[in-house]
Amino acid sequence: MTQSPPPFAVQPPSTKPHRQLDRWVQSRLSEAAMGLSPISLALAQADWLWHLAAAPGRQLELAQKALELSAQALRNSSAQEPAHDADPRFAEPEWQQWPFKAWREHFRVLDDWWREAAQVEGMNRHHQHLLGFFARQGVDAMAPSNWPLSNPVVLKSGLQSGGQTWLKGSQQFLQDAAAMQRAKPSTPAEDLEPLPYPVGEQVAVTPGQVIYRNRLIEVIQYRPSTPEVHPEPLLIVPSCIMKYYILDLSPENSLVRYLVAQGFTVCIISWHNPDASDRALGMQDYLRLGVMEALAAVQRSTGAERVHTLGYCLGGTFLSIVAAALGRRQADRTLPTGQQRRRADALYDQLPALASVTLLAAQTDFSEPGELGVFIDDDQLQTLRTSMARTGYLSGKQMAGSFQFLNSRDLIWSRNTRRYLLGQDEIGNDMMSWNADVTRLPERMHSEYLSSLFLNNALAAGHYRVEGRGVALVDIQAPLFVVGTVRDHISPWRSVYKIHLLTDTPITFVLAAGGHNAGIVSEPGRPRRSYQMATTVPADGWIEPDAWAAQAPLLEGSWWEAYRDWLQARSGPKQAPPAIPAELRVCEAPGLYVKERYAD
């Protein structure tokens, strides 16, 4: 009898000629729609149009709203107002002059009207989200600040410089276009444009040793900088969609260096940047070859019986799954022998107990994934699979483009205005250099990740399986330290907060100022940093996220210091640092995998 595939398994692409023709057509349509599914976009538009056509009252309401907003724009165009505008696109005083002020005000009412018009009763919720998102994208593209003749700051700077800013902006545009044309997928890594902050020279420079390497990961153990360290090491699991050194940037803003200086033995996973030969690597490989084998390597190197763990973004999701699987197996050991469901597995026997689990901007419930959800539906995934079937991976350029699209106002339009219209040089920093150091994802892993977690929310529903056995986050037994950030477009903090509904262990939740990256890389001493923090235990019951935010105290400074105190309270007394066994010394940090680069 033929067995059915496991839930959410990704089937290999068919080799039948008619299916290959289908994929070719779908691929061409996707390219025309900038990598998106034209079917998904058309369905959302049709859903809106049909429901709006069947709602004449709503049509009249929108028409009346348009008249009211137009009248408001005319009034505001002639009204006196403070020189400073809260919208950074219109903050300069030149926007107070006619006709630029009128254009600004009419743009604002257009934005307000479309936000209202995208909401029609009866529409599919995802279609409503999709239409609203793309309506905002379209309106943002029409902002008068984006165009040279309607931006008074661009006109003024060009006239005052004798056209030099316009000339420089044009040159920078041509340089960027030429660089994009040169960067072909076949370009060798050594021929790529060098990063502004070279890896191992200006970033990722905390001293350490690679103590383990397999086909997917390297594990780096950092050298102690204090005479004594806590006996429990800390393993950091960064996201595989980014290079690990987001947590080890320049020495002054490196979380790794900070924790080493506080007396912790810190280890981190450096993920292999995959190519076409890695297309069959799946989620189970990332859990086993990645997180589990890293834990085993840390235990072999340090001899520790308990290990602190920290996961960032998707790395945090991976870590939560492994923590649940280990918690279930630990609970199994307490059952009578005849009732134990534990399979013989040498790797599990090598893994240490988890002293704590820290999740930074990591989702475990994907029912409300925020703006990223606009890219997740059956049609979009089919389009993505078709694209990845040609290469065996999701390219770093595709991934970076998706994240830029989510915040196009700041990452695309405002940048283009500064660089191409005002002729301003970009002020580079270590995080911008890291952001340009893009990574790939294997075809199978990315498909499984989106299908099981985003589309089906399998982890929160208790349907996700690790090596054939279901896992539930309620099995996590270690205390949790969870960080969300206020302006996170990737992992909205209210979504991150939902882990309170899924676990049965004390949770210290932190809501930090900033976004997905800047809110995490928040070193002590940086100005205008703050966070809220409170601890809840299962007996406290459910506290809604907004109610939590209303009552949690606001603290000035960096949450890193609070995290240090939290770790120290759950660590043993300091002792002499462990020496890395000679046979485990693979090479010096930062290792090889972090330097793998591709043009796409």
Side-chain angles (χ1 to χ4, degrees), residues 173-214:
F173 174 80
L174 293 175
Q175 289 170 3
D176 290 352
M180 290 179 63
Q181 184 67 24
R182 290 194 304 269
K184 298 182 181 300
S186 57
T187 304
E190 58 270 18
D191 294 339
L192 296 176
E193 293 286 338
L195 294 168
Y197 285 70
V199 177
E201 298 177 22
Q202 293 179 274
V203 293
V205 295
T206 304
Q209 287 275 337
V210 175
I211 61 170
Y212 180 73
R213 178 188 293 145
N214 62 25

Side-chain angles (χ1 to χ4, degrees), residues 88-319:
R89 293 175 293 183
F90 310 116
E92 300 297 331
E94 287 80 7
W95 285 102
Q96 302 298 321
Q97 303 168 8
W98 188 91
F100 307 107
K101 184 177 182 179
W103 293 342
R104 181 196 66 183
E105 291 302 321
H106 280 84
F107 164 75
R108 282 177 167 167
V109 302
L110 178 66
D111 186 35
D112 289 344
W113 186 85
W114 265 110
R115 289 176 185 272
E116 178 75 17
Q119 311 301 314
V120 180
E121 289 184 0
M123 283 183 65
N124 174 281
R125 183 179 177 184
H126 174 66
H127 289 165
Q128 197 171 67
H129 186 191
L130 197 64
L131 189 77
F133 175 81
F134 281 98
R136 293 195 303 274
Q137 297 295 319
V139 171
D140 278 341
M142 297 168 61
S145 57
N146 298 337
W147 309 99
L149 297 181
S150 57
N151 189 325
V153 181
V154 172
L155 295 173
K156 179 180 178 181
S157 67
L159 294 173
Q160 289 181 341
S161 66
Q164 290 302 305
T165 57
W166 299 338
L167 177 61
K168 184 178 179 182
S170 300
Q171 291 172 339
Q172 292 182 153
F173 174 80
L174 293 175
Q175 289 170 3
D176 290 352
M180 290 179 63
Q181 184 67 24
R182 290 194 304 269
K184 298 182 181 300
S186 57
T187 304
E190 58 270 18
D191 294 339
L192 296 176
E193 293 286 338
L195 294 168
Y197 285 70
V199 177
E201 298 177 22
Q202 293 179 274
V203 293
V205 295
T206 304
Q209 287 275 337
V210 175
I211 61 170
Y212 180 73
R213 178 188 293 145
N214 62 25
R215 65 172 297 194
L216 185 58
I217 64 167
E218 291 178 328
V219 179
I220 301 170
Q221 181 174 329
Y222 293 97
R223 295 194 191 109
S225 61
T226 55
E228 294 184 318
V229 298
H230 293 285
E232 298 86 0
L234 170 66
L235 173 64
I236 298 177
V237 184
S239 173
C240 56
I241 65 176
M242 58 178 72
K243 293 291 181 71
Y244 82 83
Y245 64 90
I246 181 64
L247 299 176
D248 187 27
L249 292 168
S250 303
E252 63 272 12
N253 61 354
S254 165
L255 177 60
V256 165
R257 184 177 288 259
Y258 173 79
L259 291 171
V260 168
Q262 305 306 310
F264 292 98
T265 299
V266 178
C267 303
I268 198 168
I269 291 175
S270 176
W271 297 99
H272 163 54
N273 200 356
D275 57 25
S277 66
D278 300 304
R279 68 189 312 150
L281 286 171
M283 281 279 290
Q284 298 296 317
D285 297 305
Y286 274 76
L287 298 176
R288 187 179 178 90
L289 297 178
V291 182
M292 293 184 189
E293 291 202 5
L295 279 168
V298 172
Q299 200 281 329
R300 286 195 300 271
S301 178
T302 64
E305 296 181 357
R306 301 168 66 245
V307 174
H308 293 296
T309 55
L310 180 154
Y312 182 17
C313 187
L314 180 54
T317 306
F318 289 167
L319 176 60

Side-chain angles (χ1 to χ4, degrees), residues 15-22:
T15 58
K16 294 180 179 179
H18 68 276
R19 289 296 298 123
Q20 292 178 346
L21 174 62
D22 290 348

Side-chain angles (χ1 to χ4, degrees), residues 31-52:
E31 289 177 2
M34 299 181 297
L36 300 170
S37 166
I39 296 174
S40 184
L41 298 177
L43 287 173
Q45 186 177 36
D47 192 1
W48 177 72
L49 286 171
W50 277 109
H51 280 91
L52 186 62

